[in-house]
Amino acid sequence: MGKTLVVGAGGVSHAAVHKMAMNSDIFTEITLASRTKAKCDAIAASVKERTGVTIKTAALDAMDVAATVALIKETGAEILVNLALPYQDLKLMDACLEAGCHYLDTANYEPEDVAKFEYHWQWAYQDKFKAAGLTAILGSGFDPGVTSVFAKWLRKHKLATIRQIDVLDANGGSNEQAFATNFNPEINLREVLAEARHWENGAWQVTPAMTHKVEFDFPGIGPKNMYLMYHEELESLSTHFPEIERARFWMTFGDAYITHAKVLENVGMTRIDPVVHNGVEIIPIQFLKTLLPDPGTLAEETKGKACIGDIVTGEAKDGSGEKTYYIYNICDHEECFREVGSQAVSYTTGVPAMIGAAQVLKGNWREPGVWNMEQLDPDDFMDMLNKHGLPWQVHELDGPVTF
Ligand code: NDP
């Protein structure tokens, strides 16, 4: 159906590219490009071994717009799937506009020197993408991504309004490491240590990071402590469903993770500003990333399940009054490893990136402009989740959440 250029060759890319190769009727030709070509070649070798599909590889600095434009033209890509880091989003969007290529990513743009999670930089591209007749899909991972599609599916099929939404992200996986993050350590720690914000009654409510804790009994996992934190889909959901009174995001962390993260923060190791060490400028969090395990390498030893979903309350479409639904997926780390050689966090991000790109290539999501996932029709995406490794369930609860 279409030629695809994937940028970035980390954990998420590994899962996404394998799943694209398994759907070669949609992804007819795949090129994988990243800063370190050897990482692309390693993924290509694994894809060949597992699926028999040959993918092309290339070296690319995604900050170099001219080089990306040249590669898009050389490969004839219809869509660029950005699985590099949030710092590269705007440069890759610029390249897509110049080369005439659709765009998709999994995380909103962040400037390297400020940990701000805001969509306005990318929303500002709306007119340019419209004028060029091109589509940009923002945040096609699990959260953001599937969690927003879940909300849209409930809004389309079950609820006339959304009064409140809680996104619940539990990783019940364990490995042999004293401290490790489950995706890029630099991006993960910037997110986790940011102050917690949630949307309530028309304003952002701010609380210090990791201070609001609730125990929740997760399906497939059991009881776990989850913490209130800010996550980028809160901004887009509260913008695109303006009736929302309260939107919150929760993520589980073990006590050991919290202790390590706090100590690292207290001693300055998570600073994102440059410091001079022995006459050389270094950014402490980037040095820390070098020391920490690469999450992709932990796939084989990670066991347990992840469960991510939304609890949504609103007025029923059929006029039967207020209803609350819990919609979620349970994903098993070891099954992901057996299928594509990834752990569940890479898998739950990479599969929706594949499915989002498939929506564009199939022509389902082709309206020119810049779109968040909850603005698009959810039905084929939801079907593909069931068929491609992320089956979901929806249950009606007795009433709204009480935490
Ligand atoms: P990794 O660090 O494993 O991979 C990032 C890749 O991008 C690496 O291959 C890296 O190259 C490459 N890269 C970095 N800078 C450049 C550049 N300038 N030019 C070309 N390539 C570059 O990250 P993950 O796979 O864990 O995460 C990928 C993305 O997915 C991130 O944006 C993350 O925020 C997002 N994510 C989204 C989630 C969701 O549910 N929505 C959940 C988890 C992650 P090199 O190997 O040379 O460093």
Side-chain angles (χ1 to χ4, degrees):
M1 231 167 256
K3 296 180 182 174
T4 305
L5 172 61
V6 178
V7 179
V12 173
S13 172
H14 179 100
V17 171
H18 279 77
K19 295 300 275 196
M20 287 174 184
M22 290 171 181
N23 289 279
S24 52
D25 51 330
I26 302 172
F27 300 92
T28 46
E29 208 174 290
I30 304 163
T31 305
L32 173 59
S34 190
R35 190 165 50 188
T36 313
K37 185 171 175 287
K39 291 195 185 176
C40 304
D41 293 337
I43 293 176
S46 168
V47 166
K48 182 79 182 166
E49 194 185 316
R50 284 174 191 269
T51 69
V53 171
T54 303
I55 63 168
K56 294 181 188 159
T57 60
L60 177 71
D61 176 2
M63 300 304 277
D64 182 343
V65 175
T68 310
V69 170
L71 189 59
I72 295 171
K73 289 188 174 159
E74 186 190 319
T75 58
E78 272 180 61
I79 184 164
L80 182 152
V81 177
N82 169 13
L83 302 177
L85 298 180
Y87 314 135
Q88 281 95 47
D89 290 4
L90 301 185
K91 296 287 187 193
L92 290 173
M93 289 174 87
D94 287 335
C96 283
L97 283 169
E98 202 177 321
C101 182
H102 303 297
Y103 170 89
L104 177 142
D105 66 30
T106 65
N108 70 2
Y109 170 70
E110 282 173 54
E112 258 184 274
D113 54 352
V114 226
K116 277 210 185 283
F117 309 95
E118 294 169 2
Y119 275 114
H120 64 85
W121 287 285
Q122 290 182 279
W123 285 346
Y125 279 69
Q126 176 70 273
D127 291 344
K128 288 187 199 165
F129 270 82
K130 270 197 175 139
L134 295 170
T135 304
I137 309 290
L138 306 185
S140 188
F142 208 105
D143 43 341
V146 176
T147 51
S148 305
V149 178
F150 280 170
K152 179 60 179 272
W153 183 87
L154 286 172
R155 185 74 159 63
K156 180 173 177 186
H157 297 287
K158 303 276 186 193
L159 299 170
T161 60
I162 295 179
R163 186 168 69 75
Q164 61 184 41
I165 176 166
D166 287 277
V167 178
L168 275 56
D169 178 333
N171 183 3
S174 59
N175 52 44
E176 286 146 27
Q177 308 295 316
F179 180 70
T181 60
N182 47 39
F183 67 97
N184 183 291
E186 180 182 340
I187 306 297
N188 179 260
L189 286 166
R190 282 163 68 109
E191 187 176 285
V192 168
L193 295 170
E195 57 188 11
R197 270 186 296 155
H198 72 274
W199 182 254
E200 194 159 356
N201 296 325
W204 292 109
Q205 311 296 324
V206 183
T207 42
M210 302 295 202
T211 48
H212 189 161
K213 171 170 83 168
V214 167
E215 191 185 80
F216 186 82
D217 193 0
F218 284 92
I221 295 181
K224 283 221 153 248
N225 286 331
M226 60 181 192
Y227 292 79
L228 187 69
M229 57 184 275
Y230 182 71
H231 223 238
E232 61 208 54
E233 61 265 52
L234 299 180
E235 183 187 14
S236 71
L237 287 167
S238 56
T239 300
H240 299 128
F241 301 126
E243 76 269 20
I244 288 182
E245 289 172 15
R246 190 182 70 193
R248 300 184 298 185
F249 182 94
W250 306 83
M251 193 178 269
T252 62
F253 297 101
D255 293 344
Y257 179 99
I258 303 274
T259 308
H260 277 83
K262 277 285 157 203
V263 170
L264 291 168
E265 185 183 34
N266 288 342
V267 299
M269 280 300 290
T270 58
R271 281 173 59 172
I272 62 174
D273 54 321
V275 298
V276 176
H277 171 71
N278 283 348
V280 181
E281 258 197 8
I282 61 163
I283 296 178
I285 197 169
Q286 289 179 356
F287 176 62
L288 176 62
K289 178 186 180 255
T290 305
L291 300 179
L292 289 173
D294 172 354
T297 63
L298 303 178
E300 193 165 5
E301 64 181 75
T302 306
K303 299 188 182 358
K305 293 185 171 72
C307 172
I308 317 175
D310 303 345
I311 300 182
V312 183
T313 301
E315 285 299 317
K317 269 193 124 73
D318 62 6
S320 57
E322 191 169 89
K323 300 273 184 196
T324 299
Y325 292 97
Y326 186 15
I327 183 167
Y328 58 83
N329 158 262
I330 299 171
C331 188
D332 185 300
H333 284 281
E334 288 170 279
E335 278 175 24
C336 298
F337 185 73
R338 270 193 296 276
E339 189 193 338
V340 297
S342 298
Q343 37 90 329
V345 176
S346 303
Y347 190 91
T348 54
T349 311
V351 173
M354 179 280 281
I355 296 176
Q359 296 306 310
V360 176
L361 292 177
K362 285 173 163 187
N364 296 341
W365 292 358
R366 268 295 172 90
E367 200 178 324
V370 174
W371 310 112
N372 291 91
M373 305 288 280
E374 67 275 7
Q375 294 179 279
L376 302 159
D377 189 87
D379 291 346
D380 190 66
F381 188 101
M382 293 289 274
D383 280 351
M384 285 190 75
L385 286 175
N386 279 332
K387 289 182 189 136
H388 297 281
L390 294 176
W392 47 275
Q393 313 175 35
V394 60
H395 301 285
E396 191 178 333
L397 303 185
D398 291 341
V401 296
T402 50
F403 51 81

